[in-house]
Amino acid sequence: MADTPNIRFKEFSDDWVRQKLGEISFSYSGGTPKVGKSEYYGGAIPFIRSGEIAADKTELFITEDGFKNSSAAMVEEGNILYALYGATSGEVSRAKLKGAINQAILAIIPNPGYDAEYLMQWLRNKKQFIINTYLQGGQGNLSGAIVKDLMVDIPGTAEQNMIGAFLNNVDQLIILHQCKCDEIRKLKKYMMKKMFPRNGKKIPQIRFAGFTDNWEQRKLGDEATGIIAGGDIDRDLILDKGRYPVIANALTNDGIVGYYNSEFRVKAPAVTITGRGDVGHARARNIDFTPVVRLLSVKSDHDVFFLENAINTLHIAVESTGVPQLTVPQLAKYELFFPKTLEEEKEIGRYFCRFDQLITLHQRKCNEIKEFKKFILKNIFP
């Protein structure tokens, strides 16, 4: 007898049971055709490796001869695929294509009355427990025997089906918003190639109506009121929440690593450039920033959103073989094309700002749903 979860669909009240995964499913692993046998590769059979269990395509294909002369095993779309070896140990998904698997994957086919989506979601939820229990320090490999001996908490078939379908719907929402983010990023990247001059041209390929003048090339150092490097963070003053954000060489949370409650040196609008060459802008009225960040205070006759995206079209080369360090003199020498009028800058800045807002919207929604799923997973299983 298993415990019952904190959250249940109202239709169900029966007790759950605990069973070995190997008793409620059939499982098997595959193999790899002999490397170096060219006649075994380049065929029509997708060859699924452990890093591809959630993918809808594979890098490698094998021939019928390669399949017949190896331990490779076929799986059908929808089968549970569990990664046993290497960096992906403990990852689990349902096959998105029919193909052959290697020895690093365990295929799991539930017995009648057991829902594949439910079992896959249960395994995914237990990933950290499995790794902590069976892999020392997260290193090493799992085995089919270990996975088959896992004790699974099981409700009735109808409740399994409902839980599996519900969690799958949550996953699809996450995928939807992530795909939207990716699509908007791709469109933004494409439009940046078209809306800024390239290859020595003085006008971009795509412009807003009403603007016809040639753009002018100028040094970045001449178009900012200042380019300065940050200072060390005062660890005694930095807070998790506060009035003024502290910007650092980070790729998450807009580079914000903490807050000060007292005003420091810099006022927006300004463009931030990390030591890696990642470009953003200061969204707050007052900010502070660390030594690995360069900041351009923007003149009143330039638009911060335009300048941020214009700099992003550059191929900034970081002057360091160790910790990334983009020097102020180096940055000041970069040349950009500027429109003749501030009005055109503002039109372009607003256009790309809308891209960023849409990306932020979908990424925030994606993160919210992920957090919601974490909460549900803690409560929908015993």
Side-chain angles (χ1 to χ4, degrees):
M1 185 78 64
D3 296 330
T4 53
N6 294 327
I7 296 176
R8 296 185 78 175
F9 293 101
K10 63 182 180 180
E11 298 92 328
F12 305 105
S13 59
D14 294 338
D15 292 333
W16 289 38
V17 296
R18 185 166 289 169
Q19 294 178 273
K20 281 187 178 182
L21 182 60
E23 294 173 350
I24 61 174
S25 64
F26 169 68
S27 57
Y28 58 91
S29 292
T32 301
K34 189 174 182 179
V35 178
K37 287 271 191 179
S38 59
E39 63 269 29
Y40 290 171
Y41 291 89
I45 302 172
F47 189 54
I48 304 168
R49 293 172 292 177
S50 58
E52 300 169 325
I53 59 173
D56 58 4
K57 58 185 177 181
T58 62
E59 290 185 0
L60 282 181
F61 290 80
I62 60 174
T63 62
E64 288 288 345
D65 281 346
F67 179 74
K68 291 175 182 177
N69 290 284
S70 71
S71 300
M74 293 298 295
V75 295
E76 299 290 334
E77 187 174 341
N79 288 165
I80 300 170
L81 302 183
Y82 194 92
L84 299 173
Y85 300 167
T88 57
S89 292
E91 293 288 336
V92 62
S93 185
R94 295 183 67 186
K96 293 182 172 59
L97 73 167
K98 180 179 179 179
I101 59 172
N102 66 11
Q103 65 276 11
I105 298 173
L106 183 72
I108 303 170
I109 302 172
N111 294 341
Y114 296 92
D115 185 77
E117 186 68 25
Y118 173 86
L119 292 177
M120 188 277 291
Q121 295 282 355
W122 185 91
L123 285 165
R124 184 175 286 170
N125 186 50
K126 292 293 183 180
K127 176 187 173 183
Q128 201 56 51
F129 165 79
I130 294 167
I131 288 175
N132 291 344
T133 304
Y134 299 104
L135 298 183
Q136 295 182 355
Q139 301 297 315
N141 300 323
L142 297 170
S143 69
I146 288 172
V147 177
K148 286 186 277 189
D149 276 344
L150 294 172
M151 300 299 294
V152 185
D153 299 309
I154 301 285
T157 303
E159 192 170 2
Q160 288 178 53
N161 294 342
M162 193 169 286
I163 292 171
F166 174 74
L167 294 176
N168 180 259
N169 286 338
V170 174
D171 286 341
Q172 294 307 310
L173 279 174
I174 293 170
I175 291 169
L176 173 66
H177 285 287
Q178 193 60 61
C179 285
K180 282 288 186 183
C181 271
D182 295 341
E183 288 170 3
I184 297 167
R185 285 191 179 101
K186 286 179 183 177
L187 178 57
K188 179 183 176 182
K189 187 176 181 180
Y190 172 81
M191 293 306 296
M192 286 179 70
K193 290 180 180 178
K194 299 294 183 181
M195 294 185 70
F196 292 92
R198 293 169 61 85
N199 302 321
K201 303 291 184 182
K202 293 186 177 181
I203 57 172
Q205 290 180 270
I206 296 176
R207 299 181 81 173
F208 288 103
F211 301 106
T212 57
D213 294 324
N214 285 346
W215 289 30
E216 298 175 355
Q217 192 172 28
R218 306 172 199 155
K219 286 185 178 180
L220 194 54
D222 295 334
E223 301 305 313
T225 57
I227 303 177
I228 51 178
D232 293 332
I233 294 175
D234 190 333
R235 296 291 178 185
D236 293 331
L237 296 178
I238 197 165
L239 305 167
D240 291 334
K241 293 182 180 179
R243 296 180 63 189
Y244 308 118
V246 180
I247 309 295
N249 200 16
L251 298 178
T252 58
N253 196 32
D254 293 328
I256 297 172
V257 294
Y259 294 85
Y260 290 136
N261 267 335
S262 56
E263 184 174 335
F264 275 69
R265 296 182 300 279
V266 181
K267 294 183 182 293
V271 176
T272 57
I273 306 176
T274 73
R276 298 185 183 94
D278 303 306
V279 185
H281 64 269
R283 292 167 172 80
R285 292 184 60 195
N286 297 281
I287 67 169
D288 196 40
F289 54 106
T290 66
V292 293
V293 176
R294 309 292 170 254
L295 190 134
L296 286 74
S297 298
V298 180
K299 288 182 179 179
S300 60
D301 56 352
H302 286 302
D303 180 81
V304 66
F305 297 105
F306 167 84
L307 194 56
E308 173 190 355
N309 286 283
I311 295 170
N312 260 323
T313 65
L314 298 172
H315 297 292
I316 294 177
V318 177
E319 290 184 349
S320 175
T321 56
V323 177
Q325 289 294 332
L326 181 62
T327 67
V328 170
Q330 176 200 16
L331 189 56
K333 292 177 183 177
Y334 277 103
E335 294 185 340
L336 289 174
F337 278 96
F338 290 85
K340 188 172 183 180
T341 65
L342 178 59
E343 287 73 21
E344 188 171 7
E345 278 194 25
K346 287 182 175 180
E347 285 280 1
I348 295 169
R350 281 193 292 267
Y351 180 73
F352 284 105
C353 183
R354 285 193 288 270
F355 275 117
D356 293 338
Q357 290 169 346
L358 282 171
I359 291 168
T360 299
L361 173 68
H362 287 290
Q363 193 62 62
R364 183 180 296 127
K365 195 67 178 177
C366 187
N367 293 339
E368 287 173 357
I369 299 169
K370 286 179 180 177
E371 288 302 313
F372 169 73
K373 186 179 180 186
K374 285 180 183 178
F375 170 79
I376 290 296
L377 287 173
K378 286 180 180 178
N379 291 279
I380 208 167
F381 295 114

